[in-house]
Amino acid sequence: MKKISLIAALLLSSQANAALNAGDIMFTAFNADEDGLSFVTFVDIAANTTLYFSDNEWTGSAFNTGESYNQWVSSSLVTAGTVVRFSAYDKTTLSASTGVLSRVTVSGSSNWGIGNDKETVYAYLGTAATAPTTFLTAITNGKFANDGSLTNTGLTKGVNAIELTAKAGASSEPDYAEYNGVRSGLNNFADYKAQVANVNNWNVDTTNNSTSAALIPNTAAFSVSAVPEADSAAMLLAGLGVLTLVRRRQSR
């Protein structure tokens, strides 16, 4: 029995520390007036995982300079479905609802604010803030074609990258936007990706004023439908299979 428990523990640990991939997190709110963001994770994020965020434009091979880099570190396991909110993104008092958000000092970066138009924010893993290894998601209130490329990021507009002007109009200046689609009732967290990526499921405000600064995005967690309980016969067969495997290994 101890060996079986050990195998189960190792499997769970492996899943919790699995590398994140494109679309495993996605933005759920964008506020250029308050300089805030929020994102949902569709997978468990292991404790002490570092994610980077930048509003420097990606050129297809590197980031431009002149804007900002921040990093977020999960202080404990963040379970799938959790929504993390960043506030005061441009201030020295910046904070996150879960984990620790902080600035990354990079030469040439000085503008910490989120622009009211033509702004793109990327979330990614990296060996450093300026050295991305895996892009996870992106959001823009401009156009990816002009205001922050998706080339060589592995991201796709409408799949794991969100272009707010696709709903608000190419000439608009969305300063506030928030996902307002379903957060419960689907069978798997991955099923929500298409919902969040669809800009028709977003409220998009194109009036550039300070009223959005006071708006607090919905941080309710996403949830999945309960998995039906396995019948006793199936559970018995599964248990016997594990026991047989363990006994075979013991006899070697």
Side-chain angles (χ1 to χ4, degrees):
M1 293 298 292
K2 288 184 178 179
K3 287 192 175 182
I4 295 173
S5 298
L6 178 59
I7 292 171
L10 289 173
L11 286 172
L12 289 173
S13 175
S14 174
Q15 291 172 352
N17 290 281
L20 298 175
N21 297 300
D24 281 348
I25 74 167
M26 292 183 68
F27 289 108
T28 57
F30 176 100
N31 192 336
D33 290 327
E34 187 263 345
D35 289 280
L37 300 161
S38 67
F39 70 86
V40 59
T41 178
F42 298 120
V43 297
D44 290 349
I45 299 177
N48 302 313
T49 298
T50 299
L51 305 186
Y52 293 103
F53 295 82
S54 181
D55 61 332
N56 280 294
E57 292 83 8
W58 176 254
T59 66
S61 59
F63 286 112
N64 284 334
T65 59
E67 298 192 71
S68 68
Y69 297 91
N70 287 334
Q71 72 173 24
W72 173 80
V73 180
S74 56
S75 17
S76 59
L77 175 69
V78 180
T79 57
T82 300
V83 174
V84 179
R85 181 194 175 204
F86 294 165
S87 56
Y89 190 80
D90 62 330
K91 305 290 194 303
T92 56
T93 55
L94 75 177
S95 64
S97 59
T98 300
V100 178
L101 179 66
S102 60
R103 289 184 173 180
V104 180
T105 302
V106 175
S107 177
S109 293
S110 57
N111 179 9
W112 299 94
I114 298 175
N116 288 306
D117 69 327
K118 300 178 181 179
E119 185 74 288
T120 300
V121 181
Y122 301 89
Y124 53 97
L125 301 172
T127 55
T130 56
T133 53
T134 303
F135 283 89
L136 302 175
T137 191
I139 190 169
T140 185
N141 63 352
K143 303 282 285 183
F144 285 122
N146 305 316
D147 308 308
S149 176
L150 296 181
T151 301
N152 295 326
T153 63
L155 301 176
T156 303
K157 182 180 76 172
V159 176
N160 42 37
I162 300 162
E163 187 174 277
L164 298 173
T165 52
K167 177 178 180 180
S171 62
S172 64
E173 297 182 0
D175 61 340
Y176 182 84
E178 181 179 2
Y179 170 74
N180 66 343
V182 296
R183 294 178 185 236
S184 63
L186 301 187
N187 293 327
N188 302 289
F189 284 112
D191 295 338
Y192 288 105
K193 293 182 182 182
Q195 299 296 316
V196 177
N198 185 349
V199 290
N200 291 319
N201 293 328
W202 284 64
N203 285 327
V204 181
D205 176 21
T206 60
T207 303
N208 183 13
N209 55 51
S210 61
T211 59
S212 296
L215 294 177
I216 298 175
N218 183 0
T219 56
F222 289 59
S223 62
V224 293
S225 300
V227 178
E229 291 186 8
D231 60 62
S232 56
M235 292 178 66
L236 178 60
L237 288 173
L240 289 173
V242 173
L243 287 171
T244 300
L245 176 62
V246 171
R247 287 173 179 170
R248 284 178 179 174
R249 291 189 174 183
Q250 288 176 333
S251 63
R252 291 179 180 176

